Amino acid sequence: MSIEQDLKKEGIEVIQKIDTLTVNSIAKNVAEKLVSNFPEQNLNYDDLFIKLSRIDMYFAKLPEDLSTAKYYYKNSSIYFNENTNPDDINIQAVHECIHCLQELKDTNGNLLTLGLCDFSNRSLPGMALNEAAVQTMSCKALNIKNDIVKYFDITFPTCSPSYYALECNLVAQMAYITGDYALFNSTIYSNNSFESQFISLTNKEAYQKIERNIDSIMYLEDSIAMKNNELANTDKLNKINSISKDIEKIRNRIKKLFIKTQNLILTSYFDSTFNLIQNLEQVETYRRKLYNYQNYIGITDNYTFFNEYYIKKMAALEIRYNQLENSFVPVPIKNTFFSHLFQKLKKLIGINSAESGYDSWKQ
């Protein structure tokens, strides 16, 4: 199948090729934003500009379900919506340019890896993880701050309310564990730094399951978009009712899968890390990191998992603290910080164990 036929199948209709001067302007702006906002990644402006300026860019008619730009890996080109102002470098333009920089091909020109996505595997594992990582990097490049949104009855913080909102939140939770450096290093250089770092702090099974779940969330969102398109093109009442029920079922699946994935990220890390606590300083570091995790989670009306998990870990941490303290002090000190904290938690458990929110457990 030719590129023209592939594009037609994707619903992309080329209008005209973008002139060299405009391409250079886009390349310059994107390169500057990436270099200035990710100094730790050692990006070279000249190298980025040269690579981006050599990309074929087009104005095109894009399907309604696509954003304002589309990177097409089969010919390494970017297609901008026909109404896009090239002087206005928006988040989608940065997003698609990063995709071009991610390409890792073999000697025959076959795409092997695109950031966190494995193209050597026909199922393309990590597709959604990579999209979320690229979107997160694009938001940071444009200094876009987090916002609190509500989708599928889940209230959560995200850097990208309009695109891959849930996926970006879950990636942010993973990056809270690994640190941003590993995430962005793998995103831009298509290496396994992020995967290796996350696995070393949790386990391989958890990473693979989280990766699959995030992919599933993206595909379920795509299926809702298709169902909404069906809904818009029918006026038959029985068909409308049937599609509406299907959409509601998919929405519930997304909500359950998100919460399940969030809980797995949380427990896989904090369960593993707990076993590594060897001194009092690590006790406090652990407590603070678990406490601050609440700023990243998504919540629903009946979500209690984080609060209950926090209480359980604080109880275990109190025991661990006393064990470590007693190993250095001959006479146990009963009125420790953790003793007071645990007593407070026991008093609050009847009130707060059924509540959840970004202000839970504020001291």
Side-chain angles (χ1 to χ4, degrees):
M1 187 179 292
S2 67
I3 290 296
E4 289 74 17
Q5 290 173 316
D6 284 336
L7 291 173
K8 186 175 182 180
K9 187 178 179 180
E10 295 284 338
I12 300 174
E13 182 183 338
V14 176
I15 296 175
Q16 69 179 61
K17 190 172 184 178
I18 299 178
D19 63 89
T20 301
L21 187 62
T22 301
V23 170
N24 286 345
S25 177
I26 293 172
K28 177 178 180 294
N29 285 329
V30 174
E32 287 176 347
K33 286 175 172 58
L34 292 177
V35 170
S36 63
N37 285 285
F38 301 96
E40 71 284 355
Q41 299 299 337
N42 295 317
L43 296 167
N44 182 280
Y45 171 81
D46 292 334
D47 291 342
L48 289 183
F49 174 77
I50 290 171
K51 187 166 185 177
L52 292 174
S53 64
R54 289 176 178 174
I55 297 171
D56 288 329
M57 301 184 188
Y58 301 86
F59 287 121
K61 291 183 179 179
L62 302 179
E64 290 183 5
D65 59 335
L66 287 183
S67 54
T68 56
K70 168 71 175 179
Y71 159 75
Y72 197 57
Y73 72 90
K74 290 186 178 181
N75 63 349
S76 303
S77 299
I78 297 178
Y79 298 87
F80 291 94
N81 185 286
E82 58 185 322
N83 298 318
T84 301
N85 180 355
D87 295 326
D88 179 21
I89 300 300
N90 59 30
I91 192 167
Q92 288 305 312
V94 177
H95 184 112
E96 305 308 329
C97 283
I98 292 175
H99 274 321
C100 291
L101 297 172
Q102 290 184 310
E103 287 188 338
L104 186 61
K105 297 181 177 181
D106 63 18
T107 54
N108 295 319
N110 299 311
L111 186 60
L112 298 175
T113 308
L114 194 70
L116 302 171
C117 181
D118 181 7
F119 268 74
S120 65
N121 186 320
R122 293 183 64 181
S123 64
L124 302 180
M127 175 66 79
L129 194 61
N130 186 58
E131 289 293 348
V134 171
Q135 186 68 1
T136 300
M137 196 170 190
S138 302
C139 291
K140 184 174 175 61
L142 295 174
N143 298 308
I144 296 174
K145 305 302 181 184
N146 272 7
D147 196 6
I148 304 297
V149 298
K150 185 173 184 178
Y151 292 125
F152 308 107
D153 299 321
I154 309 167
T155 302
F156 58 97
T158 181
C159 64
S160 179
S162 300
Y163 301 101
Y164 305 112
L166 289 171
E167 295 87 342
C168 285
N169 171 271
L170 292 173
V171 165
Q173 292 189 42
M174 296 176 76
Y176 178 70
I177 292 170
T178 64
D180 286 344
Y181 176 83
L183 173 66
F184 296 140
N185 192 259
S186 288
T187 301
I188 200 72
Y189 292 114
S190 293
N191 59 41
N192 64 354
S193 294
F194 177 68
E195 178 181 353
S196 297
Q197 178 77 347
F198 191 86
I199 289 174
S200 71
L201 295 169
T202 57
N203 59 78
K204 186 174 183 179
E205 183 181 356
Y207 180 86
Q208 291 176 337
K209 193 165 187 179
I210 291 164
E211 179 185 65
R212 288 195 301 270
N213 288 354
I214 296 176
D215 279 344
S216 295
I217 288 172
M218 183 182 74
Y219 295 137
L220 287 170
E221 288 175 326
D222 289 343
S223 66
I224 286 183
M226 288 188 286
K227 290 290 182 181
N228 282 330
N229 188 52
E230 288 182 45
L231 202 59
N233 289 285
T234 185
D235 55 3
K236 295 180 180 179
L237 185 59
N238 61 337
K239 187 70 172 176
I240 291 173
N241 289 335
S242 176
I243 295 173
S244 297
K245 288 179 181 178
D246 288 343
I247 290 174
E248 187 59 28
K249 288 179 182 177
I250 298 171
R251 286 174 56 87
N252 287 331
R253 286 179 64 190
I254 290 173
K255 179 167 68 173
K256 290 178 181 178
L257 191 54
F258 175 89
I259 295 299
K260 181 180 179 181
T261 307
Q262 170 176 274
N263 292 346
L264 178 56
I265 297 171
L266 171 70
T267 57
S268 64
Y269 173 68
F270 285 101
D271 285 353
S272 296
T273 308
F274 186 87
N275 297 325
L276 302 177
I277 296 174
Q278 298 295 325
N279 56 56
L280 299 180
E281 183 180 354
Q282 290 173 347
V283 169
E284 175 61 12
T285 299
Y286 181 95
R287 184 195 74 82
R288 287 187 180 279
K289 192 154 191 177
L290 177 56
Y291 174 80
N292 289 330
Y293 197 89
Q294 67 181 310
N295 298 317
Y296 292 81
I297 64 173
I299 59 172
T300 61
D301 289 341
N302 299 314
Y303 183 73
T304 62
F305 186 89
F306 177 81
N307 281 0
E308 291 166 357
Y309 183 81
Y310 183 88
I311 291 170
K312 183 177 74 172
K313 284 302 179 187
M314 288 302 101
L317 206 60
E318 166 69 8
I319 294 172
R320 187 71 180 130
Y321 183 93
N322 285 331
Q323 289 173 340
L324 291 168
E325 188 180 48
N326 291 340
S327 68
F328 292 104
V329 182
V331 180
I333 300 174
K334 295 182 179 179
N335 294 323
T336 66
F337 166 78
F338 280 96
S339 295
H340 289 305
L341 175 62
F342 187 50
Q343 291 302 318
K344 184 190 297 184
L345 289 173
K346 287 195 291 187
K347 291 179 182 179
L348 290 174
I349 187 171
I351 300 174
N352 285 332
S353 63
E355 297 178 357
S356 183
Y358 300 103
D359 296 324
S360 298
W361 312 116
K362 292 293 185 185
Q363 297 178 327

